[in-house]
Amino acid sequence: MCRFLVYKGKDEILLSKLILEPQHSILTQSYDSRLRMDHRRPHNGDGFGIGYYTPPTLGPDPCLFTSTTPAWNCINLSRLASKTTSSLIFAHVRATTEGSLSDSNCHPFSHGSLMFMHNGNIACWRHVKREIALSVGQKWFVGVQGNTDSEWAFALFLDCLEKAGFDPDSEEYTANGFGHTVLRKAMLRTIKLINRFVDATPSELRDEMMDKRSLLNFAVSDGHSVVCTRYVSSTTDEAASLYFSSGTSWKQGEGPGQYKMERRDKGADIVLVASEPLTFERDNWVTVPTNSTITIHKQTVMIHPIIDEYYNHSPSYTRSSGFAVSKGLVSNAPGATQAITPGNLGNAVAT
């Protein structure tokens, strides 16, 4: 499985302070993924990608840099990250589940001002791919350049936005954003449709298909707000890992790679979302609950449960990590703070 990172800050940050320098940076995770339990494929070395938003004078669409070279072996990544700043950054290291090794299959994907990436897999993909392709509008169908389930999920998300009355090609939304509520609702609709397509897998094919549980850790941004999901289509299993950290400064300590999130007051100038924590500071990271969305708007973090057929209303209910482990993942990092449970989910968790 892949790993991803999201940074949203009040101020711009040098990409290297997130991607290269921390002890457990996204670059380090490409070859030393602490939450990867599958020793058959211990690396996230099937390419990488960085997406970041530039000053408005350069246009609303993000700048993307992708490569099939493993992140640890790309000198251009070091050159770019040490000289580039942004206040909204996506980074992704890839371990293929669907799709060949090619630039067009590397995350993040983009359309206009929107940027999208995925950690996980869509179940029964051989059948579901056709259903998604038939369901989306023509312009989203022809816009798919690669052959990953992730990019088709993005096409479905774009189609959901358009059908809800928010055209991704509209200059109004491209310039000013869609609003975090619109993005979240489109993401929920995307997940609902994926589940519907998987459930509709013909019975005669089910013996041939692999597990019908999907892992859908998505991240999307319009340059203003960010919406991420931690989701598995199961009532009994944990999803792939996801954490967030917020504070007033992302500060380097005395030793090499010794970064930590500082919080000088109740406000937050910086929010990070990551598949794996970038540091080993126990109190820096909060586990995002399984089957929930995390929304970042103006450095305010909001967490909402995804209430569907896979939601459990019992605050004491414990999910199994077995499915995540079978996919080469674990659900929670050692030492990470589990500060939120389904029983205390609220609209505003951190500000």
Side-chain angles (χ1 to χ4, degrees), residues 299-316:
Q299 280 60 257
T300 296
V301 177
M302 297 168 281
I303 294 185
H304 298 85
I306 298 175
I307 301 176
D308 60 8
E309 64 268 36
Y310 301 112
Y311 180 72
N312 192 297
H313 293 269
S314 172
S316 61

Side-chain angles (χ1 to χ4, degrees), residues 165-222:
F166 302 93
D167 185 357
D169 290 326
S170 167
E171 291 185 6
E172 175 188 356
Y173 299 123
T174 298
N176 303 313
F178 296 83
H180 61 88
T181 301
V182 170
L183 294 178
R184 188 172 65 87
K185 288 182 177 179
M187 187 69 83
L188 294 177
R189 178 64 178 169
T190 300
I191 291 173
K192 183 176 182 178
L193 288 174
I194 289 172
N195 286 341
R196 182 181 299 173
F197 294 144
V198 172
D199 289 342
T201 304
S203 58
E204 64 269 18
L205 297 178
R206 289 179 184 173
D207 291 339
E208 303 174 15
M209 310 302 287
M210 297 181 68
D211 202 298
K212 292 184 67 177
R213 292 169 287 185
S214 298
L215 289 166
L216 306 178
N217 284 19
F218 292 136
V220 69
S221 178
D222 60 0

Side-chain angles (χ1 to χ4, degrees), residues 170 283 287:
S170 167
D283 61 349
T287 304

